[in-house]
Amino acid sequence: MRFIEAVDYEDMSQKAARILAAQIIMEPDCVFGLATGDSPLGAYRLLAEWRAAGVLDFSRASAFNLDEYRGLGPDSPQSYRFFMEENLFSKINMLEANRFIPDGLAGDPDAECARYEAAIDGRGGIDIQLLGIGNNGHIGFNEPSDEFKTDTHLTDLTKSTIDANSRFFEQRADVPVQAYTMGIRTIMRARKVLLIVSGERKAEIAERAFFGAVTPQVPASILQLHGDATVVGDAGAFSLIRRHIGRTGN
Ligand code: F6R
């Protein structure tokens, strides 16, 4: 794994956005894997600014989001579809037909998961997957478990994740209890992975995930086995892992 320490959230966002920008400059028809949450917001803001300035062209690119709540549709402000429209898609020129997110209102979950995997394959796979990391080590909604779940699937959310996500809902009871998520194999098949992590409160899980045992109890730990994974984090998030990282960043 490659580790890049940033000074703060803004610097982390700059570095991550530049890596994503480099991808689209090098390969205009690339396929992004995208995430929601607080971590990527700064990077999305920069990509939107660079698009507005005419620096980036997304017209040939595609994107697959990691996950979506089951039961929420595009009009629900808490849905990940809504988040992506609001924070990125409405501000860049990626074609609507090229923007993929699992359908939270799908009637047949198994068919929806199979459709999503086939759509990723149909675009030739993901070139660069952007990830955040949950307080419990989840990536996407792959929660700590006894096994790594492989492909896109419907999952029950853990109490820790429901608690963390309740900040976006009026009441805790409104937080969906299930979500669609890419599986670990879906994520590991991405040609590159870029994980961003911010804040002291993530320092401990970052150390467990990237320097502890590879275990489905800490789903992000699987990224230690990815051939091209980069972690960009700010000083708070890197406060415990800094001592493990050599001068080359590896
Ligand atoms: C979001 C996702 C989640 C988040 C993680 C970190 O699409 O899949 O795994 O990346 O929960 O969230 P933040 O960035 O809000 O701390």
Side-chain angles (χ1 to χ4, degrees):
M1 297 184 88
R2 191 182 295 112
F3 294 91
I4 300 175
E5 182 171 346
V7 181
D8 54 17
Y9 181 87
E10 181 58 26
D11 185 32
M12 175 193 80
S13 302
Q14 283 277 353
K15 288 179 162 59
R18 280 163 200 246
I19 292 169
L20 296 170
Q23 180 73 40
I24 200 163
I25 291 168
M26 301 289 278
E27 263 182 280
D29 58 353
C30 68
V31 179
F32 290 106
L34 297 178
T36 61
D38 291 334
S39 308
L41 273 177
Y44 290 163
R45 177 181 42 79
L46 288 162
L47 292 176
E49 280 174 26
W50 297 338
R51 168 63 209 147
V55 177
L56 296 178
D57 176 12
F58 293 83
S59 62
R60 291 169 57 198
S62 322
F64 287 86
N65 262 76
L66 278 167
D67 40 21
E68 178 60 286
Y69 288 118
R70 185 179 189 199
L72 299 190
D75 298 335
S76 162
Q78 288 90 7
S79 73
Y80 287 175
R81 164 74 67 176
F82 191 98
F83 175 102
M84 291 307 297
E85 292 298 331
E86 179 121 315
N87 293 299
L88 186 65
F89 292 152
S90 62
K91 300 175 181 169
I92 60 172
N93 63 331
M94 188 183 285
L95 304 180
E96 197 163 349
N98 291 348
R99 312 187 309 221
F100 297 86
I101 301 185
D103 177 2
L105 299 178
D108 178 345
D110 289 344
E112 177 58 14
C113 295
R115 183 193 70 82
Y116 206 64
E117 285 288 327
I120 296 172
D121 286 348
R123 298 273 160 155
I126 291 168
D127 290 302
I128 185 163
Q129 176 67 55
L130 182 63
L131 296 172
I133 180 172
N135 297 326
N136 61 4
H138 74 209
I139 45 176
F141 274 132
N142 292 277
E143 300 281 27
S145 147
D146 292 338
E147 51 168 355
F148 288 114
K149 299 260 171 43
T150 55
D151 296 328
T152 299
H153 59 281
L154 187 65
T155 185
D156 294 336
L157 302 183
T158 61
K159 185 180 170 303
S160 146
T161 299
I162 294 172
D163 288 344
N165 293 351
S166 61
R167 67 188 191 278
F168 301 113
F169 293 82
E170 236 165 67
Q171 322 178 32
R172 193 176 182 285
D174 297 339
V175 188
V177 293
Q178 287 188 311
Y180 290 99
T181 182
M182 284 185 194
I184 292 294
R185 182 166 54 205
T186 327
I187 293 169
M188 289 296 279
R189 283 174 65 201
R191 287 180 269 282
K192 289 182 211 147
V193 169
L194 172 61
L195 186 143
I196 47 184
V197 54
S198 167
E200 190 102 38
R201 75 193 165 89
K202 297 269 179 85
E204 209 172 303
I205 195 62
E207 185 174 43
R208 281 180 67 205
F210 308 130
F211 294 94
V214 174
T215 162
Q217 294 299 338
V218 184
S221 65
I222 194 81
L223 299 175
Q224 294 180 40
L225 306 182
H226 194 285
D228 192 344
T230 301
V231 178
V232 181
D234 60 17
F238 269 46
S239 56
L240 296 178
I241 63 173
R242 194 178 292 125
R243 59 197 161 110
H244 300 283
I245 301 170
R247 277 166 45 108
T248 60
N250 293 300

